[in-house]
Amino acid sequence: MITKLTEINRAEAFRYMGMQGKIPENMEKLADECESRLIAAASPKFHWVYADIGDVSENTVTLAKHKLIMRGKDISEHLRGCFGTALLCATVGDGVDRLLRQLQTEDMTKALTADALASAAVEQVCDIAEKEIGERFAGKFTTWRFSPGYGDFPLECQGDFLAAVNAMRTVGVCVNSGGLLTPTKSVTAVIGVSEKPVPQKRRGCGTCKLRDKCVFRKKGERCC
């Protein structure tokens, strides 16, 4: 589904940049410029598919009608008790990648600010998608979204994940040999669906098994 952003969560972007409290006026003005250019360059879209869960073991989740196998204790625990899952892919498009490359040649402060705003923007697209999924399963219970690269859920599944969502055709997202998505400001995520309330596990870097080698933390970002 194609969607539209009229503004970007500024507070979230500044959080990605490690800025808290009162933001200096010059940074607010810089964010104004970067936000305007990002919104003009972005083509936000998302696509999701529902899949029945075949089996959840200690380290593996299999789906009933998809080849995707999700491995890791964390994703198994995340989906335990769920009868199905929504597989989501969201992006703000390759126009944002082009803008970020352009800004890197103009002004690195602008580039870093725009990068943080772009990260916040794709999360907003995920929020819109998650709301749609919740409405589709009204009366059921859903988990928070869990992405490859979180905990011990490996990035190596991205190719099969994108195939399950038909992401190249539906939203123009593919994966490189290192398991990273292109366009870069894209997200894949799993949302479990259950008949019963799902315990909301504690989230955060402090409890993550891979916090010392996390690909998100290396980029100055956080997964939650």
Side-chain angles (χ1 to χ4, degrees):
M1 174 179 289
I2 298 173
T3 187
K4 186 175 182 179
L5 296 176
T6 57
E7 61 180 3
I8 298 174
N9 187 332
R10 188 79 59 88
E12 187 73 356
F14 284 137
R15 183 177 73 85
Y16 288 145
M17 297 173 69
M19 302 181 69
Q20 299 178 342
K22 184 173 176 58
I23 305 301
E25 183 178 352
N26 65 316
M27 284 302 302
E28 290 282 8
K29 289 182 178 179
L30 184 61
D32 285 340
E33 177 187 347
C34 291
E35 179 183 45
S36 177
R37 294 177 70 174
L38 269 172
I39 289 174
S43 52
K45 55 181 76 76
F46 66 86
H47 182 70
W48 65 273
V49 299
Y50 170 77
D52 288 316
I53 291 176
D55 181 62
V56 179
S57 68
E58 183 179 359
N59 296 291
T60 304
V61 179
T62 58
L63 305 178
K65 296 183 180 179
H66 291 271
K67 293 181 179 179
L68 174 65
I69 298 175
M70 296 182 281
R71 304 184 189 280
K73 290 185 178 180
D74 291 327
I75 189 63
S76 294
E77 182 63 24
H78 186 72
L79 294 176
R80 197 170 306 282
C82 295
F83 62 82
T85 181
L87 306 175
L88 165 68
C89 183
T91 185
V92 288
D94 56 8
V96 168
D97 278 6
R98 290 193 294 271
L99 175 61
L100 293 178
R101 288 194 295 270
Q102 178 183 341
L103 291 175
Q104 287 170 5
T105 66
E106 293 180 11
D107 185 315
M108 280 307 298
T109 303
K110 283 184 182 180
L112 291 171
T113 303
D115 188 271
L117 284 162
S119 295
V122 73
E123 290 300 322
Q124 286 177 241
V125 179
C126 288
D127 290 341
I128 295 169
E130 188 170 347
K131 181 180 178 181
E132 179 180 292
I133 292 166
E135 291 172 349
R136 164 65 177 79
F137 293 102
K140 309 298 183 183
F141 300 89
T142 57
T143 68
W144 50 277
R145 55 185 185 259
F146 199 97
S147 294
Y150 291 10
D152 64 354
F153 185 19
L155 284 172
E156 286 76 13
C157 77
Q158 292 281 41
D160 288 339
F161 195 111
L162 295 182
V165 183
N166 200 9
M168 183 61 201
R169 184 183 67 81
T170 57
V171 292
V173 175
C174 57
V175 62
N176 65 21
S177 59
L180 301 179
L181 302 178
T182 57
T184 58
K185 297 303 178 179
S186 303
V187 170
T188 54
V190 178
I191 298 174
V193 185
S194 174
E195 296 283 0
K196 299 178 181 180
V198 181
Q200 297 299 308
K201 310 292 190 302
R202 187 179 177 188
R203 304 171 67 178
C205 299
T207 59
C208 181
K209 297 179 179 66
L210 297 184
R211 59 185 177 274
D212 294 330
K213 51 184 178 181
C214 173
V215 295
F216 298 98
R217 283 164 63 86
K218 285 179 181 178
K219 294 188 295 182
E221 302 175 5
R222 292 171 58 185
C223 68
C224 57

